[in-house]
Amino acid sequence: MTRAPSPAVLRELALTEEEYQRSAQLLGRIPNPLELGMLGAMWSEHCSYKTSKRLLRELPTRGDRVVLGPGENAGVVDLGDSLLCCFKIESHNHPSAIEPVQGAATGVGGILRDVFAMGARPVALLDAIRFGDPRDRLQRHRLARVVEGIGFYGNCIGVPTVGGETYFSQEYAGNCLVNAMCVGVTTRARLVRAVAAGVGNPVLLVGADTGRDGIHGATFASVQLDDLAEERRPAVQVGNPFLEKCLMEACLELCGHEALVGLQDCGAAGLTSSCSEMAKRGGVGIEIDVAEVGRRESGMTPYEVMLSESQERMVLVVERGREAEIQRVFERWDLRSDVIGRVIAEPELRVLDRGQEVGVLPLSVLVDGFSERRPPAAMPESVLTARSEDPCALTPPWGLEEAWLRLLASPNCADTTWVHRQYDHQVGDDTVWGPGSDAAVLRFKGRPDGIAITVDGAHRCSLLYPARGAAMAVAEGLRNLAVAGAEPLALTNCLNFGDPDQPAVMWQLEEAVQGLAEAATELGIPVVSGNVSLYNDYQGESIPPTPVVGLVGQLAISGLPPGPAFRASEDRIVLLGEGAPSLTGSEYQRLTQSGVSGPAPDLDLARERAQAALVRELVHSGILHSAHDLSVGGLALALTKGCVLGGLGALVRLPSPESSSNRPGDPYQALFGEGSGRYLLTVSPDGMSTLEAACRRSKVPLTDLGLVGGEVISFSGLARISLNQARDVLEQSLPELMESR
């Protein structure tokens, strides 16, 4: 065995001693410092997925509308008439925890490049962000700065931020989550792949000059956060959205150009990953001379050049002899473009410095040489104990009205206009429904159709039931598309978990991926792209299991979707579906009880699919005056939001035990229980018979709850609050928190 570098050096590279020994064995020699740094980046969890790859193989990735699935910069689905939709979601959690503005901004920049690297013009951004208790000053600071970073980058580059999810829980206090999703459109003729081909073809690096920012960014994302996290601030990239706007336009202008062979974002692990992955896909190699790389700092070493994660850079392979044609396009956009290397026949990444070889690694070692990991997984005994508890057995700490108002004041239920008013969601003039809707809806100019997009995180019950919680996220995404009238096409996922070397976390990851796979399969929604973010820990404490999914659906734009707002007095309020509400993992339980406990919430995927199909049919029929799915906050929140958004009160009665599986005498569960499979709809009295007939035909339960109207929201005989009071609580809770000192 060779003598390994010091533990401190290996830790900086995110390599174990066993991995170092494996690299030396595969190479038949000791890797030099440059090669070792490149191996550390490419073998890191962030780049290699060495812990999760075996699990991800279980996800369904094929479908009639799938053009390209996992393995490319973004997934691609067919919208018909040669139009394609590209989309992906990724995390930027660790950088955002220590440098919120730039961490969030460069997360947006990176996901934008993933999409336009496919030749697709980005048309929408969404985010899923999670923080600790907003009553804490540090958490308010992080939220404000992350929102600033997201808005700063998206607004400057001119891509609308049309939706997202904001969630608070103390478990995210040390390690916030910042997931960004981008959606773009292109045509088959302009679709580009990240592949190198043609021995002798030149390799170009275009965009920003290369600096020292972001070095070891990939390895930083593959270790836990601790008290020394601030020392890793230099690993956070710095973004320039105005430069990226020019880079995006130049790259999109070139897509479809016959001289363009391949295009790749230069992101995590910098030139090392972009060049090696392009070469690997093409069955060739690449040679780079770092002396040809434009730099913004003097004295940079080959190590720094190869591992820099400076933003706003792309790598291109073009046909030999036609470099000047391509470079003229970048010159017109005032962008630098350098020929830094060439495609070679040998399947290796070869690094030169002024013509002298300073490192060479076979792609079989650099890209595929890592060993897949299978850490031990075990369900904690505490989970079994918590599962056996009955959350309904505890005496409620508040009366129904006070509990209702406290729920509305929770930042997880309150209006999030404070967040999305800082985003431009109308730029491009294609946003039909923006932030605040169940799903964002975008039109296509000159076409009768559009797309609906939603981002949803796993239910809080994931702490006890990871598979159920992940599946519930997919089901909620399906319902969000359904109330917009959209047929689901595919999904992307971002799996946020703690340290997989902890058996409890590994159990959570295995279970969650299984639940995601089951839901995607049963609901017929293939997974076309995604990201895994592990080691989301602070001081050894892991975040809760947090799979996030982004779904894209297609719909006919024949009129506005009904939306959640109640529209007319005397409309009937009905509950469609038969999912049973549960307090397990609910927002009510978070507010009243420590931890998560209780039996798994109800979920029937076959029923979800059938009910979603019926809701889409009802939306397209035009009989619905409003439509909203029940999720966080249960019936109480859905009803209140419908009233507040429409400026109308409501008089309703609770569903009977027979129709909802509630236990008799448990209004807390009926009002605040969460779960799957339920929609709150309003319809005119004249349309009620048509709605009932459609439900009978589809064998979907329908419960008449009451009437829209008045200035009071009342659950008959149990609780009532005025419309003005509900509006004030919903709309002012988050701004008051954020403006408090």
Side-chain angles (χ1 to χ4, degrees):
M1 295 179 67
T2 63
R3 184 175 179 180
S6 70
V9 170
L10 290 176
R11 187 165 54 250
E12 184 69 16
L13 299 174
L15 284 172
T16 65
E17 183 170 347
E18 291 74 20
E19 287 174 327
Y20 170 79
Q21 298 295 346
R22 177 176 174 81
S23 70
Q25 181 182 19
L26 291 173
L27 292 172
R29 58 180 175 81
I30 298 173
N32 66 34
L34 168 61
E35 294 167 337
L36 194 59
M38 294 163 64
L39 285 165
M42 292 300 293
W43 288 13
S44 70
E45 192 70 55
H46 188 75
C47 290
S48 71
Y49 288 24
K50 56 191 174 186
T51 302
S52 58
K53 184 168 284 190
R54 65 179 175 86
L55 303 175
L56 300 179
R57 296 189 187 105
E58 302 302 315
L59 299 176
T61 60
R62 298 172 183 243
D64 294 340
R65 308 287 289 275
V66 176
V67 177
L68 290 174
E72 290 288 338
N73 283 304
V76 183
V77 294
D78 190 352
L79 296 175
D81 295 328
S82 83
L83 190 67
L84 306 178
C85 180
C86 308
F87 60 97
K88 188 180 183 182
I89 189 169
E90 281 201 342
S91 63
H92 230 222
N93 302 335
H94 282 31
S96 300
I98 64 172
E99 180 49 62
V101 174
Q102 290 299 334
T106 53
V108 172
I111 199 64
L112 283 163
R113 292 193 301 278
D114 279 338
V115 167
F116 72 73
M118 304 294 298
R121 176 169 293 280
V123 296
L125 290 163
L126 301 91
D127 60 73
I129 52 180
R130 299 197 173 203
F131 302 90
D133 190 337
R135 292 173 296 183
D136 179 80
R137 187 178 67 84
L138 174 60
Q139 300 305 315
R140 294 198 302 273
H141 168 77
R142 280 186 178 160
L143 169 62
R145 301 293 276 168
V146 163
V147 169
E148 178 185 344
I150 294 170
F152 156 69
Y153 211 101
N155 294 354
C156 289
I157 205 169
V159 177
T161 302
V162 298
E165 178 191 59
T166 304
Y167 185 83
F168 302 91
S169 188
Q170 189 55 31
E171 294 89 344
Y172 300 98
N175 199 128
C176 63
L177 300 185
V178 178
N179 295 177
M181 178 179 174
C182 182
V183 180
V185 293
T186 188
T187 61
R188 286 187 178 271
R190 295 176 59 82
L191 185 64
V192 181
R193 297 191 62 189
V195 63
V199 173
N201 279 339
V203 177
L204 277 67
L205 177 64
V206 304
D209 288 343
T210 298
R212 290 188 171 95
D213 53 319
I215 294 173
H216 291 163
T219 55
F220 171 44
S222 304
V223 295
Q224 295 187 25
L225 292 176
D226 53 30
D227 282 340
L228 302 178
E230 286 294 325
E231 297 178 6
R232 293 185 175 270
R233 191 177 293 270
V236 180
Q237 308 93 334
V238 178
N240 181 344
F242 299 106
L243 192 152
E244 177 137 332
K245 171 65 173 176
C246 295
L247 182 63
M248 178 178 75
E249 296 298 341
C251 289
L252 290 175
E253 183 178 331
L254 284 169
C255 291
H257 196 294
E258 60 182 12
L260 180 63
V261 177
L263 179 63
Q264 169 74 43
D265 165 35
C266 194
L271 285 169
T272 296
S273 65
S274 56
C275 292
S276 61
E277 290 173 359
M278 289 182 82
K280 181 68 177 177
R281 292 189 189 103
V284 294
I286 285 180
E287 177 185 270
I288 290 175
D289 193 325
V290 295
E292 302 300 325
V293 175
R295 310 174 193 188
R296 61 171 177 259
E297 299 183 54
S298 61
M300 289 184 68
T301 65
Y303 185 102
E304 292 171 324
V305 172
M306 290 303 298
L307 292 175
S308 168
E309 295 184 9
S310 293
Q311 295 290 284
E312 293 86 39
R313 300 182 302 160
M314 304 290 284
V315 175
L316 291 75
V317 174
V318 303
E319 288 188 4
R320 181 169 48 184
R322 305 188 69 177
E323 302 93 316
E325 295 177 50
I326 301 297
Q327 289 180 303
R328 277 195 293 271
V329 174
F330 290 105
E331 287 172 8
R332 190 163 61 251
W333 286 97
D334 199 23
L335 294 169
R336 179 168 188 157
S337 60
D338 298 313
V339 177
I340 63 169
R342 62 189 180 94
V343 177
I344 58 178
E346 299 81 3
E348 61 191 25
L349 181 58
R350 188 183 303 158
V351 183
L352 312 178
D353 187 7
R354 292 180 174 83
Q356 297 297 311
E357 187 177 289
V358 292
V360 57
L361 289 170
L363 298 178
S364 60
V365 176
L366 183 60
V367 179
D368 297 326
F370 62 90
S371 293
E372 292 189 13
R373 302 176 67 244
R374 188 185 286 267
M379 181 175 67
E381 291 185 10
S382 58
V383 168
L384 285 176
T385 302
R387 285 179 172 182
S388 65
E389 296 173 357
D390 182 1
C392 297
L394 299 177
T395 302
W398 311 303
L400 272 179
E401 283 185 10
E402 183 177 357
W404 186 2
L405 289 170
R406 285 176 179 265
L407 186 83
L408 299 183
S410 163
N412 293 327
C413 295
D415 183 81
T416 56
T417 298
W418 183 91
V419 173
H420 60 247
R421 74 182 179 190
Q422 300 180 57
Y423 305 152
D424 188 338
H425 55 270
Q426 290 291 350
V427 62
D429 196 33
D430 288 325
T431 306
V432 177
W433 279 118
S437 307
D438 289 277
V441 176
L442 278 76
R443 65 175 182 173
F444 298 128
K445 294 183 180 75
R447 285 176 57 118
D449 62 339
I451 54 174
I453 320 162
T454 182
V455 168
D456 296 286
H459 192 268
R460 190 166 170 263
C461 75
S462 294
L463 200 58
L464 300 184
Y465 306 95
R468 179 62 53 88
M472 287 175 69
V474 181
E476 183 179 354
L478 175 70
R479 294 195 303 276
N480 287 338
L481 295 183
V483 296
E487 180 83 29
L489 298 177
L491 70 82
T492 182
N493 67 86
C494 192
L495 305 179
N496 305 275
F497 288 81
D499 183 351
D501 291 320
Q502 298 181 29
V505 174
M506 196 62 210
W507 168 74
Q508 293 169 351
L509 178 60
E510 290 181 350
E511 288 281 305
V513 175
Q514 178 185 337
L516 180 62
E518 179 186 1
T521 301
E522 291 295 320
L523 298 176
I525 309 174
V527 181
V528 296
S529 60
N531 173 239
V532 179
S533 175
L534 304 181
Y535 298 98
N536 288 289
D537 302 72
Y538 182 73
Q539 301 286 58
E541 292 294 323
S542 295
I543 63 164
T546 314
V548 173
V549 296
L551 277 73
V552 173
Q554 190 172 17
L555 72 159
I557 304 288
S558 55
L560 285 177
F566 294 170
R567 286 163 45 185
S569 293
E570 303 303 318
D571 273 359
R572 305 301 305 182
I573 302 170
V574 298
L575 188 66
L576 184 146
E578 57 182 338
S582 168
L583 292 181
T584 302
S586 65
E587 183 64 11
Y588 173 81
Q589 186 179 63
R590 192 187 73 84
L591 293 172
T592 59
Q593 303 168 21
S594 60
V596 179
S597 63
D602 181 53
L603 177 65
D604 184 322
L605 293 169
R607 189 173 65 201
E608 286 276 3
R609 190 170 186 173
Q611 291 177 174
L614 173 59
V615 170
R616 287 195 298 272
E617 175 189 326
L618 294 171
V619 168
H620 292 305
S621 74
I623 69 166
L624 299 182
H625 283 184
S626 73
H628 183 42
D629 83 300
L630 268 63
S631 54
V632 174
L635 176 60
L637 181 62
L639 181 76
T640 306
K641 283 195 170 182
C643 290
V644 169
L645 290 171
L648 294 165
L651 175 62
V652 301
R653 57 189 170 275
L654 289 183
S656 67
E658 292 77 17
S659 65
S660 69
S661 301
N662 284 342
R663 298 190 322 177
D666 192 0
Y668 289 86
Q669 184 172 352
L671 282 179
F672 311 127
E674 299 170 8
S676 293
R678 298 184 298 162
Y679 300 81
L680 190 68
L681 313 174
T682 59
V683 64
S684 70
D686 291 342
M688 192 66 180
S689 59
T690 303
L691 175 60
E692 290 172 333
C695 288
R696 282 195 300 270
R697 185 177 66 252
S698 301
K699 298 181 180 179
V700 173
L702 186 72
T703 305
D704 189 346
L705 297 181
L707 290 172
V708 175
E711 297 183 357
V712 171
I713 310 171
S714 173
F715 286 98
S716 181
L718 293 171
R720 55 183 279 155
I721 57 177
S722 73
L723 185 62
N724 287 337
Q725 186 179 20
R727 180 186 296 109
D728 289 345
V729 173
L730 274 177
E731 293 180 354
Q732 297 303 318
S733 295
L734 188 56
E736 287 177 358
L737 273 172
M738 296 307 298
E739 292 164 11
S740 63
R741 293 187 180 274

